[in-house]
């Protein structure tokens, strides 16, 4: 038996890792603040010993320069340094964008011994990185700092709160390892369209092949349930770094901790939905195949008319049903049922929403989070995805983002 | 040679047709108005002689009762009467919904001789039609009226203006026929998700097979360019009725008039986008196949991040490029170019948006309508779709629609 125990704070819990951030002038500092630590735009995570690294990147054809730069290292490379910047995505910048990273890393290596350093960026597309500004960070940064809060804040863009998590995994033999992460991203209409970055570090003595397999798996059960496959930003990145320093490992325990960590982070992203006020789980069950269940579930969590109805706390199930019908899966009016939490809101037996049920539905919808369950009634396959409502605030944030 | 000449007003221009509307209490009347004609909720269009009818319906699996009712008539049936109601979609109402239409039509046939009457509905999903209210219309309606304005108004839901159009088609031999239509629908994020209804009437002596072929074709070039295939409301309907009364016909002339009519109506829907302030054409050219060009073009006209950028008049092309990259088509950064109207805004030669270009782009975006052209640079195929921006007003309208 093992236990996954939540820890205070974030990255500083993992043996042999350092992290920190500074402001080099890409992000405006709050008025009257001389504290460069409060609002960083350049951050690092590094390990005192080489790490294996597993990563999942965006499926967007126009992968940003840092992703291309990463992929030029030989397969199975080790690294001990991740550099991260906000405010500029270094995307659609062509070969020059990759050269800029090489330049930055070359300056870095004059200040700090690094092994195959990698980079990750988020921000506006289409502008070259301000190389001089970014390299100026290397004088300001303390490479022996362990400031997870600061690091988590520095990678934020439209996020309204920083996202960090850490667990201690206690194994049956009394040994333990640690896993922690910082993450940025704010859930949106088509969630993956705005960049999501996640950096996970561990001191578990995990084999490289387990890292690859478990990370891919955990991504399917977390970030991919709040986003549409194949419709992702140019920069989306999830990285897992392991420096093995604890010397301890158990595959089942690591898998559980990783899944829990990534699922919790995905929910944080959703709760931080740009202007979102509600988190809604969309379970589709009774579908003929899991692919169909997923298709209908993702259609619901992405439907604008469903999202605006959630925001309006409108208990009408018509938009839910219409979205199921339009999703292209096998379904019919007679076998379909719809629940809000435990309340049956549509079935063939009664279709019209009476006042009592409408009032109960309204009470459920007023909650910060609830579940919509659509039973297709045609098979055994199911899928859950997670969405948020669409508010005025979403439009405001996205209309004004760059200005 | 032939000429397609615009006419004043709408349906009353077509020989042998009658139309009108009344209020039966489903739609709230404006305060201090006793004029039941101003805000009808039940409308009719009829012909003094039988019509051939061609129709295109939603691809939503949950087709509304009026569509199922229509489809129960034998193939190639003729009709002389279309009954339309707003405020209630008669969707997800099962067999009872179809029986309600039969009941209504049975009452109608006591008041007015009708041949295979058809119905069309728009409004909230999941409630039975108020049969008694609707049949009360048959006492109020004047079946010899020709009030196109009133009819066009009666079918509106979130529309902010009525949509009607009429043309006279003058043929080379001095003969002529007429075509006219009313339409409802307000462009939105995923345009086809809110119901679109369009009723086209003509006195052209058009063969039934031409009606079917030309209507399908014209729909592809109009309403389908502002909507996503397979993602439609439960009630979407386009009908073409011909009573042949002019005795005149020319296929090429009819095709041109029908295409022009339906394209203009599609643009009206878009301009009436729920809260929309801009109409944007998204042309994708230089794609490997037309299917890919269409896929990328529709991805652009449906992208929330693109739509909010349009609303914010943000000239950054990053969201355009990212959407192209995420659309799943063959493309690369080096061959892609992006224009706003005639202004080159992205190419491999210069990527960063300088102040001059940004200022020019901003001027273009301030217009009520403009064109975004993405040349993929990999082939000869192209496609244009049409979209609108996303404003605060959209969220307001859709959050508050039912209440």
């Amino acid at each position: 038996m093992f236990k996954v125990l939540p820890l205070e704070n974030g990255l500083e819990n993992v043996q042999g890792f350092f992290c920190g951030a500074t402001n080099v002038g890409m992000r405006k500092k709050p008025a009257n603040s001389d504290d460069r630590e409060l609002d960083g735009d350049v951050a690092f995570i590094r390990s005192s010993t080489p790490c294996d690294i597993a990563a999942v990147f965006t499926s967007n054809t126009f992968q940003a320069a840092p992703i291309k730069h990463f992929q030029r290292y030989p397969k199975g490379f080790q690294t001990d340094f991740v550099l991260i910047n906000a405010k500029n995505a270094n995307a659609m910048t062509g070969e020059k964008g990759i050269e800029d990273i090489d330049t930055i890393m070359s300056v870095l290596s004059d200040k700090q011994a690094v092994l195959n350093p990698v980079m990750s960026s988020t921000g506006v597309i289409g502008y070259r990185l301000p190389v001089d500004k970014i390299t100026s960070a290397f004088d300001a940064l303390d490479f022996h700092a362990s400031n997870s809060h600061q690091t988590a804040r520095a990678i934020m863009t439209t996020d309204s709160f920083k996202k960090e998590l850490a667990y201690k995994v206690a194994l049956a033999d009394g040994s333990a390892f640690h896993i922690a992460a910082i993450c940025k991203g704010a859930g949106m209409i088509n969630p993956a369209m705005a960049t999501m970055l996640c950096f996970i570090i561990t001191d578990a003595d995990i084999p490289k092949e387990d890292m690859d397999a478990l990370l891919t798996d955990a991504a399917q059960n977390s970030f991919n349930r709040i986003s549409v496959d194949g419709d992702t930003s140019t920069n989306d990145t999830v990285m897992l770094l392991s420096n093995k320093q604890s010397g301890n490992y158990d595959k089942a325990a690591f898998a559980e901790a990783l899944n829990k960590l990534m699922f919790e982070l995905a929910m944080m992203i959703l709760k931080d939905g740009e202007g979102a006020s509600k988190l809604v789980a969309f379970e589709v069950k009774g579908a003929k195949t899991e692919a169909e269940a997923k298709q209908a579930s993702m259609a619901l969590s992405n439907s604008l008319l469903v999202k605006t109805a959630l925001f309006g706390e409108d208990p009408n199930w018509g938009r839910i049903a219409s979205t199921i019908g339009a999703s292209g899966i096998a379904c019919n009016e007679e076998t379909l049922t719809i629940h809000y939490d435990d309340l049956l809101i549509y079935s063939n037996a009664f279709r019209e929403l009476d006042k009592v049920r409408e009032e109960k539905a309204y009470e459920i919808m007023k909650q910060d989070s609830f579940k919509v369950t659509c039973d297709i009634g045609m098979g055994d396959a199911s899928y859950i995805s997670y969405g948020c409502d669409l508010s005025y605030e979403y439009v405001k944030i996205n209309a004004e983002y760059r200005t």
Side-chain angles (χ1 to χ4, degrees), chain A:
Chain A
M1 280 305 298
F2 57 83
K3 279 188 183 155
V4 177
L5 308 162
L7 299 171
E8 296 277 305
N9 306 319
L11 303 179
E12 61 276 76
N13 290 287
V14 186
Q15 210 170 311
F17 280 93
F18 304 93
C19 60
T22 189
N23 182 298
V24 299
M26 292 194 288
R27 191 197 299 276
K28 270 185 211 142
K29 283 186 280 185
N32 309 320
S33 168
D34 287 327
D35 186 353
R36 289 165 71 92
E37 297 189 352
L38 268 183
D39 48 357
D41 44 27
V42 175
F44 76 94
I45 302 171
R46 71 172 197 92
S47 165
S48 58
T49 53
C51 297
D52 280 337
I53 182 165
V56 177
F57 293 118
T58 180
S59 58
N60 194 304
T61 306
F62 299 142
Q63 289 184 321
I67 297 176
K68 292 181 189 162
H69 176 264
F70 182 105
Q71 289 165 339
R72 289 193 182 176
Y73 284 121
K75 253 191 185 328
F77 76 99
Q78 291 194 308
T79 182
D80 61 8
F81 200 96
V82 183
L83 182 68
I84 312 154
N85 76 278
K87 301 304 282 179
N88 182 319
N90 195 9
M92 300 295 288
T93 46
E95 193 60 32
K96 298 279 184 206
I98 300 170
E99 288 168 16
D100 288 341
I101 300 174
D102 282 331
T103 306
I104 290 165
M105 294 311 187
S106 156
V107 177
L108 170 63
S109 64
D110 292 340
K111 312 270 177 179
Q112 169 75 21
V114 288
L115 172 69
N116 302 326
V118 301
M119 192 158 185
S120 197
S121 302
T122 180
V124 176
I125 292 171
Y127 292 87
R128 298 275 297 277
L129 285 179
V131 171
D132 290 346
K133 278 188 179 173
I134 288 176
T135 55
S136 75
F138 303 145
D139 292 322
L141 287 168
D142 171 5
F143 291 121
H144 288 84
S146 285
N147 198 331
S148 181
H149 288 349
Q150 193 188 63
T151 313
R153 282 184 61 103
I155 66 173
M156 286 165 52
T157 52
T158 55
D159 304 59
S160 65
F161 58 87
K162 66 179 163 52
K163 298 164 188 72
E164 51 180 349
L165 267 186
Y167 300 125
K168 175 180 180 177
V169 183
L171 301 178
D173 62 3
S175 71
F177 61 83
H178 306 85
I179 182 168
I182 59 168
C183 176
K184 68 129 311 210
M188 58 234 75
I189 308 295
N190 222 332
M193 280 297 295
T195 290
M196 197 224 88
L197 300 180
C198 179
F199 306 96
I200 308 163
I201 61 174
T202 182
D203 50 27
D205 191 11
I206 179 173
K208 174 70 163 75
E209 58 271 25
D210 284 5
M211 291 174 68
D212 291 330
L214 295 178
L215 185 69
T216 305
D217 219 48
Q220 288 302 333
N221 291 316
S222 57
F223 300 121
N224 285 355
R225 293 200 181 239
I226 58 163
S227 71
V228 173
D229 294 346
D231 196 29
T232 61
S233 98
T234 50
N235 291 59
D236 292 348
T237 297
V238 182
M239 279 183 195
L240 169 61
L241 288 99
S242 164
N243 66 8
K244 333 279 183 187
Q245 289 193 18
S246 75
N248 303 318
Y249 179 61
D250 174 86
K251 187 173 178 177
F254 188 87
E256 181 167 317
L258 183 68
N259 272 284
K260 188 172 157 66
L261 181 90
M262 287 170 70
F263 185 80
E264 290 299 321
L265 291 170
M267 291 305 111
M268 284 189 200
I269 287 180
L270 212 50
K271 279 179 196 146
D272 198 11
E274 289 167 350
S277 62
K278 283 176 207 307
L279 192 157
V280 183
F282 293 98
E283 179 172 22
V284 172
K285 61 186 191 185
K288 283 193 169 171
T289 64
E290 194 187 336
E292 289 202 349
K294 180 175 181 180
Q295 191 174 324
S297 173
M298 294 306 274
L300 287 171
S301 54
N302 281 292
S303 161
L304 269 284
L305 288 175
V306 170
K307 281 171 177 290
T308 47
L310 294 177
F311 176 63
E313 295 174 349
D314 177 353
N316 183 262
W317 47 264
R319 293 180 186 185
I320 307 273
S322 180
T323 303
I324 295 281
S327 72
I329 72 159
C331 55
N332 71 62
E333 293 181 39
E334 283 69 34
T335 60
L336 179 71
T337 63
I338 303 174
H339 284 79
Y340 290 175
D341 282 347
D342 291 329
L343 177 74
L344 180 65
I345 190 144
Y346 169 83
S347 88
N348 191 36
F350 74 99
R351 290 172 179 249
E352 225 152 290
L353 204 56
D354 58 47
K355 284 281 162 215
V356 176
R357 253 177 245 268
E358 181 156 343
E359 194 50 48
K360 280 187 192 162
Y362 179 67
E363 290 303 315
I364 291 169
M365 296 188 82
K366 282 201 298 193
Q367 301 172 105
D368 288 346
S369 74
F370 63 99
K371 186 175 175 181
V372 174
T373 306
C374 299
D375 189 336
I376 307 299
M378 297 179 79
D380 295 320
S382 66
Y383 191 89
I384 301 187
S385 70
Y386 303 87
C388 55
D389 58 345
L390 176 72
S391 66
Y392 307 128
E393 201 55 26
Y394 173 85
V395 179
K396 188 169 151 68
I397 290 167
N398 279 291
E400 295 171 2
Y401 173 55
R402 209 175 62 103
T403 47

